[in-house]
Amino acid sequence: MTSRRNFITGAAMAGAAAVSKAAMGAVPEAPQQSSAATVPPPPPPNGRPYNPVVTPNGWSLPWRMKDNVKEFHLVAEPVVREIAPGMKANLWGYNGQSPGPTIEVVEGDRVRIFVTNRLPEITSIHWHGQLLPNGMDGVSGLTQPPIAPGKTFVYEFTARHAGTFMYHPHADEMAQIGMGMMGFWVTHPKDPRQHAVDRDFVFLLNAYDIEPGAYTPNVNTMLDFNIWTINSRAFPGTDALAVRKDDRVRIRIGNLSMTNHPFHIHGHRMEVAGTDGGWIAPAARWPEVTVDIGVGQMRALEFTADAPGDWPFHCHKSHHTMNAMGHDVPNLIGVDHRGVARKINDLVPGYMVMGDKGVSMGGMRMPLPENTLPMMDGQGPFGGIEMGGMFTTIKVREGLARGDYRDPGWYAHPQGTVAREWTGPAPEPVRAAAAPAAPDEPVANVKRGDGHTMHDGH
Ligand SMILES: [Cu+2]
């Protein structure tokens, strides 16, 4: 983490001299982070104790305690985010990153948040889910004047209830949220033993439309996003969630994309422990293997990591576990296109014909345009995982140290516990007798989508 004690000077030099000298002296430091590495949070240095959360590929924002108020400083600004190795994006975010840093406070804390606008347009911050005075709600035009470029505003309220929250602009949302402006907020309970877990992860779901070769998202896109991300990272760039066997694990997810994401866990019993509104009483929690996280919603999911291994945790919409791909690709399953691909490539260099007997892309290595990601390029110990986008792994291991979040590498399977090729005699398959064809029955006329209708319900 780089300190940015001198950032105000930089802002002033850039012509953003709206903050008065006196006000500058009162503004706390705005720490910055530009690396995509997960920063395990240190325990709170002052104030009430709590069990900190971990933001995969992200970090938590330090504060300054002043007159018993926690003071934070967020700087809204253009950032460069590495989506995954091989692809960077020009986004907007906070303190050097998209999403911005996670804010952690304790129920009952008085918080004061300075927000400096270094964007080329107005902004504001809405504290999604907080119970606060109307004038602190951060809706530009309705509850406050917008924060003009170069200006610093201050928000102050008491974090009244423990739970899972987010922050994002309520000004030019289509552009600003579409450019990656968002952050996580966790209010911990006053008593750290309440809802205590061993590992507590947080992430935001978002999506971008970045054409291959481009660096800046198209913010006018409403449906056809092509980069589906967890904390603005796409698999295989998403960090694995390392957990110790038998840890009680919580994953808090917020959704600030424009569609719902059914998140699916493998190998574990998961339950919904919290919603936008707060915690669910233990007796009322419901078990799921896939939890749909709607637009603007937050969910806290919990499970006991009782099964060692490398377990997928991902969005179940197939095209959300892919990266950039052209739309309007014809479906060629079952089509023998030997020879055709070469002819098409003479006309359209780089065109990818998918299909033949299947469309698995595990073996394909096409030359890529600049600055984009292969569609499903995640590699595992047994070969291509054929996944990208909103996909990560939960790596459950014996004997990890408390607070050790480093990737433990691939799982070493005990002897005889991996699916394998059967080389013995094949059993005779049992088949039902074929029904005679009815002579008058019409042949079903299958009509393919035209390439647009098939994307309804994004
Ligand atoms: Cu999804």
Side-chain angles (χ1 to χ4, degrees):
M1 195 180 298
T2 48
S3 156
R4 228 172 41 155
R5 205 177 287 279
N6 61 349
F7 97 92
I8 290 285
T9 325
M13 281 164 62
V19 185
S20 79
K21 278 245 166 0
M24 277 187 219
V27 176
E29 214 178 298
Q32 196 194 27
Q33 174 70 258
S34 58
S35 145
T38 302
V39 180
N46 49 37
R48 290 194 188 91
Y50 62 78
N51 303 315
V53 299
V54 171
T55 310
N57 301 106
W59 57 298
S60 286
L61 185 61
W63 66 82
R64 163 175 93 178
M65 200 61 111
K66 197 180 178 196
D67 304 328
N68 223 23
V69 177
K70 279 182 181 171
E71 288 190 337
F72 297 88
H73 191 170
L74 288 171
V75 179
E77 60 186 354
V79 303
V80 174
R81 173 63 158 175
E82 187 187 65
I83 301 284
M87 182 183 179
K88 287 182 175 167
N90 296 328
L91 303 181
W92 289 354
Y94 300 95
N95 299 42
Q97 274 291 3
S98 166
T102 300
I103 291 178
E104 296 186 73
V105 300
V106 178
E107 196 180 6
D109 274 355
R110 187 81 183 157
V111 295
R112 188 179 295 133
I113 305 144
F114 295 85
V115 179
T116 299
N117 182 5
R118 293 185 67 193
L119 297 172
E121 63 173 32
I122 60 154
T123 192
S124 72
I125 298 196
H126 167 58
W127 314 100
H128 191 118
Q130 301 283 351
L131 306 174
L132 35 59
N134 184 237
M136 293 293 161
D137 200 37
V139 184
S140 70
L142 179 64
T143 67
Q144 66 165 82
I147 310 173
K151 298 276 188 188
T152 295
F153 270 47
V154 59
Y155 295 83
E156 185 168 334
F157 56 91
T158 299
R160 285 171 52 193
H161 65 309
T164 303
F165 308 101
M166 310 186 277
Y167 63 86
H168 62 77
H170 232 295
D172 194 14
E173 286 163 55
M174 182 98 173
Q176 296 189 9
I177 296 178
M179 286 289 282
M181 294 183 74
M182 57 188 72
F184 221 97
W185 176 304
V186 173
T187 301
H188 295 279
K190 244 179 203 157
D191 179 352
R193 291 166 302 182
Q194 217 183 349
H195 311 301
V197 291
D198 300 299
R199 299 194 186 220
D200 200 340
F201 298 96
V202 305
F203 57 68
L204 289 169
L205 305 177
N206 39 16
Y208 301 99
D209 174 20
I210 306 176
E211 285 298 308
Y215 287 78
T216 305
N218 177 0
V219 295
N220 295 318
T221 297
M222 288 185 279
L223 295 176
D224 283 342
F225 296 92
N226 60 5
I227 302 289
W228 300 93
T229 54
I230 293 172
N231 281 342
S232 298
R233 287 280 281 186
F235 190 76
T238 51
D239 276 353
L241 311 184
V243 305
R244 177 174 49 178
K245 183 174 180 290
D246 299 324
D247 268 354
R248 186 71 184 166
V249 180
R250 178 183 297 136
I251 303 176
R252 311 181 196 223
I253 305 178
N255 180 3
L256 284 174
S257 75
M258 290 209 267
T259 185
N260 62 315
H261 299 287
F263 255 75
H264 175 61
I265 194 173
H266 293 209
H268 286 86
R269 293 172 175 277
M270 176 170 76
E271 58 186 24
V272 181
T275 71
D276 310 45
W279 295 104
I280 300 169
R285 294 178 181 185
W286 66 96
E288 296 270 32
V289 288
T290 304
V291 179
D292 198 21
I293 298 153
V295 177
Q297 287 188 325
M298 295 156 283
R299 290 287 180 269
L301 316 174
E302 288 185 18
F303 61 94
T304 299
D306 51 10
D310 297 335
W311 302 103
F313 186 61
H314 62 94
C315 177
H316 216 286
K317 289 187 177 176
S318 313
H319 63 301
H320 294 184
T321 51
M322 290 171 49
N323 292 317
M325 162 182 188
H327 283 82
D328 305 316
V329 176
N331 186 346
L332 296 173
I333 288 186
V335 177
D336 184 345
H337 57 61
R338 278 172 294 185
V340 175
R342 188 158 30 83
K343 285 179 193 162
I344 293 179
N345 268 283
D346 288 345
L347 296 168
V348 190
Y351 182 85
M352 184 188 290
V353 184
M354 293 195 290
D356 201 342
K357 304 302 181 284
V359 290
S360 170
M361 280 169 276
M364 289 193 191
R365 276 292 184 284
M366 302 286 291
L368 283 176
E370 186 201 345
N371 200 53
T372 189
L373 295 172
M375 279 184 277
M376 305 177 278
D377 199 40
Q379 295 292 314
F382 299 103
I385 306 175
E386 303 197 342
M387 287 283 175
M390 278 180 182
F391 183 94
T392 187
T393 51
I394 297 169
K395 296 192 170 181
V396 182
R397 297 289 187 278
E398 302 264 11
L400 289 189
R402 193 181 175 77
D404 185 358
Y405 293 93
R406 289 171 302 174
D407 189 327
W410 298 117
Y411 181 57
H413 299 268
Q415 182 93 39
T417 64
V418 177
R420 63 196 189 282
E421 183 184 358
W422 176 254
T423 52
E428 192 60 36
V430 181
R431 290 200 184 92
D440 298 331
E441 206 165 286
V443 176
N445 186 11
V446 178
K447 204 165 170 247
R448 295 280 183 206
D450 63 6
H452 273 281
T453 49
M454 61 190 270
H455 287 291
D456 285 349
H458 255 287

